[in-house]
Amino acid sequence: MGKDVIIACDFASAKQTFDFLDKFTGVKPFVKIGMELFYAEGPAIVREIKARGHKIFLDLKLHDIPNTVKKSMAVLKNLDVDMTNLHAGGTKRMMSAAIEGLTREDGTRPLLIAVTQLTSTDEESMRKDLLIEKPIDEVVMHYAKNAKDSGLDGVVCSPLEAGKVHDVCGKGFLTVTPGVRFADGDIGDQKRVMTPAQAKEIGSDYIVVGRPITAAEDPVAAYERCVKEFVD
Ligand code: C5P
């Protein structure tokens, strides 16, 4: 399980996605398909990107009763994605059910990653809206431990949390980190960012990079720069 750069394909249609992916003639980057593209195009987009030779992180963040999540994961396992995810807030029982559903008959399965607290949730909204009184980093680490105990492979987290997650859950527990920007780039709406080189330094296993690559004048060069800073 090597370090890799995952491109967030946050496009609204298959056409936009393929216009973008067609620029990559040599390498086949690992791509993230999120809710927007999946809801617009359905499972066909996953099959088509897979058939083109890309690895896929299907970012649908499941959160429902354990039985429903288990049955939904059993559908996703047949899509042959490489990584998918759920909300750790669904409880350990839901996460264990997800693993059961996702595991193929031969014992293999896609990597399963948990979202702890969304980075859009801050301590104040956690306290006021969710009635969770504990400090947010304690909650994030507790949810990460729950994910590990339930047999999951890692968590999505800020690159700033990756080191602590490894301290708490072990080096082998994967950290998948968005919020990455080049040192000379525009940070846009992300608040806490790191460069690919800093994310490498702190021990992120995968970085998820969207606009610094998708909105770049030369996306292939931007992707190669990310790989050079983060992987090489
Ligand atoms: O364009 P940008 O690099 O900001 O894209 C980051 C990607 O990671 C987006 O798909 C976004 O939804 C996702 N993400 C994030 N922060 C989180 C979880 C996911 O930016 N906490």
Side-chain angles (χ1 to χ4, degrees):
M1 241 169 314
K3 283 184 181 283
D4 212 346
V5 174
I6 303 178
I7 304 180
C9 283
D10 293 325
F11 298 112
S13 70
K15 180 173 183 329
Q16 283 172 21
T17 308
F18 292 125
D19 284 349
F20 171 74
L21 292 178
D22 283 346
K23 298 183 202 298
F24 292 82
T25 49
V27 283
K28 298 283 181 186
F30 201 140
V31 300
K32 179 171 89 76
I33 300 175
M35 287 187 238
E36 181 187 13
L37 185 57
F38 189 78
Y39 292 152
E41 301 290 350
I45 187 87
V46 177
R47 293 194 189 96
E48 199 163 333
I49 294 177
K50 192 78 199 173
R52 287 173 169 231
H54 297 269
K55 285 190 174 173
I56 296 176
F57 170 19
L58 188 58
D59 177 18
L60 299 181
K61 300 187 181 72
L62 274 69
H63 189 169
D64 208 317
I65 60 171
N67 186 53
T68 301
V69 169
K70 180 178 168 179
K71 289 199 288 188
S72 306
M73 287 292 182
V75 175
L76 295 185
K77 82 175 167 212
N78 294 324
L79 274 182
D80 200 22
V81 295
D82 299 277
M83 183 186 288
T84 190
N85 63 357
L86 47 63
H87 275 283
T91 75
K92 286 162 107 172
R93 206 152 66 81
M94 187 200 81
M95 290 193 271
S96 305
I99 292 275
E100 272 180 50
L102 201 59
T103 305
R104 305 183 185 101
E105 280 184 2
D106 64 2
T108 63
R109 63 168 173 78
L111 293 171
L112 185 59
I113 304 295
V115 174
T116 55
Q117 286 290 343
L118 291 168
T119 44
S120 50
T121 307
D122 59 13
E123 208 157 277
E124 192 189 355
S125 51
M126 230 176 53
R127 203 172 52 246
K128 288 196 178 147
D129 299 356
L130 309 178
L131 297 183
I132 300 173
E133 300 286 346
K134 302 265 190 197
I136 193 156
D137 62 318
E138 196 178 324
V139 174
V140 167
M141 294 309 148
H142 183 68
Y143 284 24
K145 272 191 275 178
N146 283 351
K148 185 168 188 229
D149 292 348
S150 308
L152 271 72
D153 303 292
V155 287
V156 180
C157 63
S158 138
L160 297 151
E161 292 163 349
K164 192 152 181 210
V165 168
H166 282 142
D167 288 346
V168 170
C169 297
K171 283 266 176 284
F173 193 65
L174 301 173
T175 52
V176 179
T177 63
V180 173
R181 291 294 180 267
F182 292 120
D184 51 3
D186 188 357
I187 77 165
D189 56 359
Q190 294 283 12
K191 294 214 167 64
R192 299 180 304 151
V193 298
M194 265 194 192
T195 65
Q198 287 167 330
K200 176 183 184 179
E201 184 74 31
I202 210 156
S204 294
D205 296 288
Y206 293 89
I207 51 173
V208 176
V209 188
R211 288 158 294 178
I213 295 174
T214 56
E217 217 163 285
D218 184 344
V220 177
Y223 171 72
E224 283 167 354
R225 181 177 171 192
C226 271
V227 171
K228 202 165 163 27
E229 279 193 34
F230 182 69
V231 185
D232 295 347

